[in-house]
């Protein structure tokens, strides 16, 4: 009976690790990264962003500011709702709606460093209403897909051994 309980616990551990890793991880701008002169509206085309997905950037000296729709449209810096200048920003999209990001360095937004991401709820395929106060978190270290994969493999090996 004890080995059955351990087996069930391992299966639950595997499920706990696999489900969060199903969220997509996007590198902003792909190989171009977060920089001036990139058309980020083109970059978002064809991508479906869902709650739980993360946006990351290549290590850079630029900032990533969450801003209102109007500050996004006018490239107004200094009114950020949230800001990160760690050089390796990861943003977890925690709420449906449109999320607005600009570089907080004066002039960079006007040179293309602005990104609007329409985020769908993870259980729906239709876009949701726009919000100017999206709920997401900045993190300078994201749990990597490799770590999730590694822990999942270890748990599967434990199940097979038991």
């Amino acid at each position: 009976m004890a080995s059955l309980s351990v087996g069930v616990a391992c299966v639950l551990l595997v499920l706990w690790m696999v489900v969060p890793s199903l969220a997509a991880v996007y590198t902003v701008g792909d190989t171009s990264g977060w920089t001036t002169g990139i058309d980020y509206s083109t970059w978002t085309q064809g991508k479906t962003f869902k709650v739980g997905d993360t946006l990351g950037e290549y290590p850079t000296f630029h900032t990533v500011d969450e801003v209102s729709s109007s500050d996004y449209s006018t490239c107004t810096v200094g009114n950020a709702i949230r800001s990160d200048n760690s050089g390796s920003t990861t943003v977890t999209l925690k709420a449906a709606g449109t999320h607005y990001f600009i570089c907080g360095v004066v002039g960079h937004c006007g040179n293309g460093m602005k990104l609007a991401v329409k985020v769908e709820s993870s259980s729906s395929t239709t876009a949701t209403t726009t919000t100017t106060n999206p709920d997401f978190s900045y993190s300078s270290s994201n749990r990597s897909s490799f770590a999730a994969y590694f822990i999942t493999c270890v748990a599967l090996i434990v199940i097979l051994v038991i």
Side-chain angles (χ1 to χ4, degrees):
M1 267 312 185
S3 90
L4 178 62
S5 297
V6 171
V8 169
C10 287
V11 168
L12 291 174
L13 175 66
V14 168
L15 289 174
W16 179 75
M17 291 305 298
V18 170
V19 172
S21 69
L22 296 177
V25 177
Y26 295 95
T27 300
V28 174
D30 296 324
T31 57
S32 298
W34 180 240
T35 188
T36 59
I38 305 298
D39 182 359
Y40 292 102
S41 62
T42 300
W43 176 78
T44 61
Q45 290 178 354
K47 292 175 176 63
T48 303
F49 300 96
K50 301 227 178 215
V51 170
D53 290 350
T54 57
L55 302 174
E57 62 166 311
Y58 288 110
T60 180
F61 295 105
H62 299 281
T63 64
V64 178
D65 292 351
E66 170 199 359
V67 296
S68 67
S69 174
S70 61
D71 284 350
Y72 172 85
S73 297
T74 60
C75 287
T76 302
V77 297
N79 296 327
I81 298 166
R82 290 190 175 98
S83 183
D84 186 279
N85 63 357
S86 68
S88 187
T89 303
T90 300
V91 177
T92 301
L93 302 168
K94 293 186 175 181
T98 303
H99 299 250
Y100 300 97
F101 307 96
I102 65 171
C103 178
V105 176
V106 175
H108 287 192
C109 177
N111 285 323
M113 288 187 74
K114 59 192 279 184
L115 171 67
V117 179
K118 187 174 282 188
V119 179
E120 298 177 358
S121 68
S122 53
S123 62
S124 171
T125 58
T126 58
T128 57
T129 58
T130 300
T131 179
T132 58
N133 190 15
D135 179 19
F136 66 90
S137 62
Y138 284 110
S139 169
S140 57
S141 63
N142 187 20
R143 179 172 63 163
S144 71
S145 298
F146 176 76
Y149 176 76
F150 178 77
I151 293 170
T152 301
C153 288
V154 169
L156 287 173
I157 290 170
V158 168
I159 290 170
L160 293 174
V161 170
I162 295 175

